Each structure stands twice: as C-alpha cells, then as structure tokens.
Amino acid sequence: MPPTRIREGRRPARTADQRNVSPVRRLFAIALVSLLFWSPLAAEPLHGIAMHGDVSLPRDYAHFPYVNPEVKKGGRITYGVVGTFDNLNPFILKSMRTTARGMWDPQFGNMMFESLMTRSADEPFSLYGLLAETVEWDEARSFIQFNLDPRAHWSDGKPVTPEDVIFTFELLRDKGRTPFSRRMEAVAKLEKVGERSVRFTFNDKADRETPLIIAAYTPVLPKHATVPESFEQSTLAPPIGSGPYRIKSINPGERIVYRRDPNYWGKDIPSKVGFDNYDEIAVEYFLQESTLFEAFKKGEVDIYPEGNPSHWDRAYDFPAVASGKVIKDVFKPKLPTGMLGFVFNTRRPYFADARLRKGLSLVFDFEWANRNLFENAYTRTQSYWQNSDLSSLGVPASPLEREMMGDITARIDPAVLDGSYRLPVTDGSGRDRKVLKQAVDLLKQAGYSIRGGQMVDAKGTPLAFEIMTQNADQEKLALAYQRSLRALGIALTVRTVDDSQYQNRTIAFNFDMVMKSFTSSLSPGIEQVSRWGSLARDRQGSENYAGTADPDIDRLINNMLTARTAESFQAAVRSFDRMLISGSYFVPLYHLGEQWIARHKTIGRPDTLPLYGYQLQTWWDARAQ
C-alpha cells in the first residue's frame, strides 16, 4: 500500500486512541523511544577494538595487510622443537612445558582452539572478530559483550554457543592454570544475552586491558565434549575444538600431525584469510638442538629459527644453502628489545639488598662475552623497552611521569631519572679494575667486604650462590660470569640440569639465579602483574622469578593498566621501566635488532612484514601454488 500523502497546511485526523492519550504521556513515550534509539548501549556493534584509540582496519576490511590473500592452500610443513610432550591439554598446571605444540600456540598458531577475538600483528594491541563476529562495550569498559558468529561450530559440527563461553571461563577459573585461572577475578557477572551473545560485567579488580585479555587470550572449549571431573588430568585423547585443524596422528613424546579440517567454519572470515595454509602440519620433537638442526639440514624439518650469531654465521655452509634450496631470511621488526638476563631471586635473603644486586650486575663483562663468545654480534640491553618510544633510556622523566611516580621518585636512581644512565663499558678483559671497583663500593654499602680473598658479610659468611642453567649456551655465559666474580672472592656455582628438573625448580622458585627472557610489546599490560606483581610472588607457575612484592611496583603497574591516552600510557611505561632498572632485578645481557630464520625453498612467505615480525601462520607450501 502506498504511503498516505498529507497535504501541506492540514493535520491528519487523530484516532480514538490518540485522542485519549494525554500530552504528558505522549511526551514520555517519545522520550522513551528516543532513549532506546540513541542510547550508547544501542550503538552499532564493533568489528574490532584497540587498547588505545581505534583499530586501523575499517569495518569492511578483507584481510590483514601482512598476508597473501591469493595463496593456494595445500601441501604440508614440518616444524621441529626441542622437548617432549605427554599431554594434549595446555590449560592445566601439569601441561607446562610438556604439552603438544599447536594446541594453543602463539608461534605455530592456535590450530585446535580459538579465542573470541584475534590480534593483528601490525598494530600495537588491536583485536578483530574471530568466534565473536562483533563486540560491544562502553567508554568506561565496565562491560564487554561478544556477539558470536552464527557460522562458528566445533569440529563435530555442533554450534559454538554462549553456554560454551560461560562453561569455559568457569571451568578454567576452577581447574585451569595461571593465568587462565585468574581472569574471572575481575568479572562481577557473566551472562548469556539473547540467542548468541555473552556479556562480561566487570568489578573493581578490572582495568582497561581486562576486556582485551578476555577477548584474545582465553580459548573457548566445547561444553558438550569436556568433562570437568577429569579436566585436571593429563590426556592424549584428541580434543574437539573450533580451530582449523584436527589431530591426524600422535606418537607420544615424539611427533604429532595435524590435518586441516575441511569443514572449518572460519576459513573465509577476514581475520583468517591468508592463514592456515597447509593441508598437513607435523611437529617433530628432539632431545637436543644439534639434532634438530641436523634434521633441518637433511630436509626433515622445513624451517629453523636462529638465535645464535656464531651459528648463523658459521653453520650454514652445507650444500642446500649453496644451491639455493635453503634460504636465510633476515627480518627487522619494530619491537622493543625486552630483557634477557640472569634473574636475582630476591626470596633469597642475600639478594634482598638492591645495592648488592646492582654491584653484582656490574661484574658481568658484556664486552668480553660479546667479543669472545658471539663475535660482537649483540648489543647490550639496558632498558626493558629499549629501541622504542616506551623506553626511559636517554629520556629525562617528564612532569607527567614525575606526577605519576610521586614519592616513588626517591627510589629511582638519579641517573635513571634524568636520562643519563648507562651501564659501564669495560675494557673487555674480563677484569676491568675500574668497573670492579664500582662493584666493590656498592657491595661495601650493602655490608660486604673482602677478607682473606673472600667476599663476606659482617658475620664473616662468604657470598656464594648458584646459577641454574638448562643448556650449553646458558652455561657458557654463566661460566664467563663466574670468572669475573671469582676476582672479587665471590663463589658462583654453575649447575646445568635437565629440562624436567629445570621446569620443576623454576615453577617452585627453587633457585638462586636463573637465565630468563621477558619479551616486551608495544602494549604492555596485565602480563606485568604475573612478572612483577605482589600477588604473583608466591603463586607457583607465575613469571615472578625475581620474587618482587612491592606496593610501589604494584602502583606503577596499575598506572599502565588504567592509562586512557597514548601520552599517559607512555609516561606510565617509562616510569615503570625506571623502577625496574633502578631495582637491578636482572643482570642485563644482550639483544639482536633482527629476526633470523632459515627455510627450505619449498616454504613460501608473504612479502609484507608486520610490526611484530614474521608470522609463521601466514606462510605456505610453495609446491601447492
């Protein structure tokens, strides 16, 4: 029926119902309708969210900018890893270091399980739809609502539902390992909304990063195929997931093969275009790195990520490299360095004094180690976010930083505060007298002195401790450190243990010093709580290897988590960087400004390098093209 035309200058006749409605009630009805249509909660759902600002890609984006959208899927790849596995459940404490790679894996890809949203490697911290087609939240981030993609289903064909999401978070809260078990602490209410949506309403324990952590870093598990009573037990039973692959075969501890699911629901959604390009993915397990490299040379493994400069320069002289069958790729991502070093376990009484830790840090002769062990390939690391705008190195504290720190500034090394701080450069002898004197002066301030050729405290107790290492490369660095410490009468024992013992002792924080690496992103956040927060100090399985439990550190972490602007976030990270440097919790080692990886020519890759470096999940079998 065509619309009724109203002639200008005349008002249409009112119905009986309209004549009986009072003006006040009519205005109330209009206001109510307007509120429903204009409320922020009724805003258009978002296709992506970012920690700060807006996402880079528009609503109608076709794919991420660093993939090849025209790639033909097919073929196979074999990855190699050092280690073993006895479990296919990566979400329980028993799984740490023993779970089959690929189940929930940041490097090879989450082949079996998926999260609600997925991260773009070309933005600091932006998420786009995966199991959740769209998302809704408010400016305060007091809640987040995920609207599930109606196409999403499990590998057995059953749909992914809000009930699955609720079941997963409650199960991991009760039976999962850290950090999965802690995420519900910030949730006041978790509820189903409508037919295919689930909403998390947060409490005062949440911060502005919490919704993004919920979205990106927790898998969704099938309620109908998961048994809560046996969830905490190790298992080799192939699980049901929503991901692009299913398990084809397992040789426990040695090999696992994944086969593409031909019915994978998400192969055409924008965030998955150009990913998951192999029909078959095999992961081989090796007892030693040298054995893995020999397998790569023979073509039994297709790629080999390299982190040893001497090995990169000298070990690739085999025929396949000369003929071009093996290609050495060098990438330069735009990432902060992170921190690699020997960690002081401050749970040990003799490491409680920051002056002692700083003095011991000065003793390590980086210049000697770099020249004699690594052919001067490395750069000394002096900041946790070095090579980025988040680093405090060489930058005086701004007024905003000082305001954020408040009275904490009194605990910051003056050189770190004014930007003049640098670690000393030695003469490379391994016994630079000038630097060793600085170390001795700091040790004296901490109550130590040299008596009878030994460094002892006021009671005459010698300063002695152990570094636990897990391989020959770590052992070489520890032995170099041992030689320098011996010059000051400090007894360092180097103990190399097997993977199982190493893992058990680090989980229980049963060590004096250990070599660890903390990667850094352009959007640091909640992971800093696990690394440095008071609540993580005594939580087995956390990354708080240094054993810090400091209200000032907690306060600076909170500044990062609650920052609302890019300027305040930068100031918060820089002030936290200054605190960690001043605390001398690590003996800083070194970093590379590049990523190295060798691949057989049969493996192809995209030309575009994203912000975070190469992404193995976007590579492909060139023979299938």
Side-chain angles (χ1 to χ4, degrees), residues 543-555:
E543 293 183 299
N544 193 340
Y545 304 114
T548 53
D550 187 330
D552 288 341
I553 286 180
D554 295 338
R555 177 176 149 194

Side-chain angles (χ1 to χ4, degrees), residues 68 71-75 245 260 274-279 617-621:
N68 176 4
V71 65
K72 294 181 180 178
K73 299 181 185 295
Y245 290 89
R260 184 204 306 284
F275 287 79
D276 314 315
N277 297 319
Y278 307 102
D279 282 343
Q617 309 98 303
T618 67
W619 293 20
W620 60 81
D621 189 333

Side-chain angles (χ1 to χ4, degrees), residues 166-385:
I166 295 171
F167 168 80
T168 296
F169 278 84
E170 292 178 344
L171 177 66
L172 293 178
R173 174 198 62 198
D174 298 336
K175 297 178 178 291
R177 66 173 172 87
T178 301
F180 305 108
S181 61
R182 314 297 297 189
R183 289 176 182 158
M184 282 291 284
E185 292 178 354
V187 179
K189 182 165 52 172
L190 173 56
E191 59 187 327
K192 179 180 178 180
V193 180
E195 289 296 318
R196 59 183 184 88
S197 299
V198 61
R199 176 178 291 199
F200 294 76
T201 301
F202 300 112
N203 57 34
D204 57 5
K205 293 184 180 180
D207 54 63
R208 293 186 64 77
E209 189 184 30
T210 299
L212 288 85
I213 298 298
I214 294 288
Y217 297 118
T218 302
V220 177
L221 308 176
K223 181 178 180 179
H224 70 280
T226 305
V227 181
E229 291 75 16
S230 60
F231 185 74
E232 294 174 284
Q233 303 302 314
S234 297
T235 178
L236 289 175
I240 290 175
S242 65
Y245 290 89
R246 305 179 72 171
I247 291 177
K248 177 183 178 182
S249 62
I250 299 173
N251 187 355
E254 298 180 9
R255 175 183 174 90
I256 184 167
V257 179
Y258 299 89
R259 182 73 181 172
R260 184 204 306 284
D261 184 351
N263 299 314
Y264 173 52
W265 73 273
K267 60 180 179 296
D268 296 321
I269 66 173
S271 64
K272 295 296 282 183
V273 170
F275 287 79
D276 314 315
N277 297 319
Y278 307 102
D279 282 343
E280 193 170 283
I281 296 174
V283 183
E284 298 276 0
Y285 291 79
F286 298 85
L287 295 178
Q288 296 179 333
E289 194 70 38
S290 58
T291 310
L292 168 56
F293 186 67
E294 288 301 315
F296 170 72
K297 289 168 63 175
K298 295 175 183 178
E300 297 170 3
V301 171
D302 291 307
I303 65 168
Y304 188 83
E306 182 63 78
N308 186 317
S310 298
H311 199 258
W312 184 247
D313 288 339
R314 299 175 181 177
Y316 293 82
D317 57 355
F318 51 94
V321 176
S323 67
K325 291 182 179 179
V326 166
I327 300 168
K328 296 173 69 180
D329 284 322
V330 178
F331 303 102
K332 294 185 177 181
K334 299 175 182 178
L335 287 175
T337 59
M339 178 60 72
L340 169 70
F342 296 118
V343 187
F344 294 99
N345 185 356
T346 64
R347 300 172 184 85
R348 303 297 200 238
Y350 40 83
F351 287 152
D353 194 313
R355 295 167 299 183
L356 176 87
R357 299 194 299 269
K358 183 176 181 180
L360 293 177
S361 297
L362 296 182
V363 178
F364 180 79
D365 194 329
F366 167 75
E367 281 68 34
W368 184 93
N370 197 31
R371 185 182 69 238
N372 290 279
L373 301 180
F374 306 119
E375 301 181 358
N376 291 318
Y378 288 115
T379 299
R380 188 75 188 269
T381 304
Q382 305 189 66
S383 159
Y384 289 75
W385 284 273

Side-chain angles (χ1 to χ4, degrees), residues 155-169:
S155 55
D156 63 2
K158 295 184 182 295
V160 177
T161 67
E163 286 80 5
D164 291 318
V165 178
I166 295 171
F167 168 80
T168 296
F169 278 84

Side-chain angles (χ1 to χ4, degrees), residues 117-135:
M117 304 185 79
T118 189
R119 189 167 183 171
S120 168
D122 207 35
E123 300 174 49
F125 195 3
S126 292
L127 306 179
Y128 294 84
L130 187 55
L131 286 175
E133 185 177 28
T134 58
V135 64

Side-chain angles (χ1 to χ4, degrees), residues 456-474:
V456 298
D457 64 13
K459 296 180 180 180
T461 305
L463 179 57
F465 55 92
E466 176 187 279
I467 292 182
M468 182 175 66
T469 59
Q470 65 180 144
N471 56 48
D473 289 336
Q474 290 185 6

Side-chain angles (χ1 to χ4, degrees), residues 591-609:
H591 65 270
L592 290 169
E594 301 174 335
Q595 293 175 333
W596 300 330
I597 189 168
R599 60 185 165 97
H600 284 269
K601 192 177 181 179
T602 53
I603 302 301
R605 62 170 179 82
D607 294 328
T608 302
L609 183 72

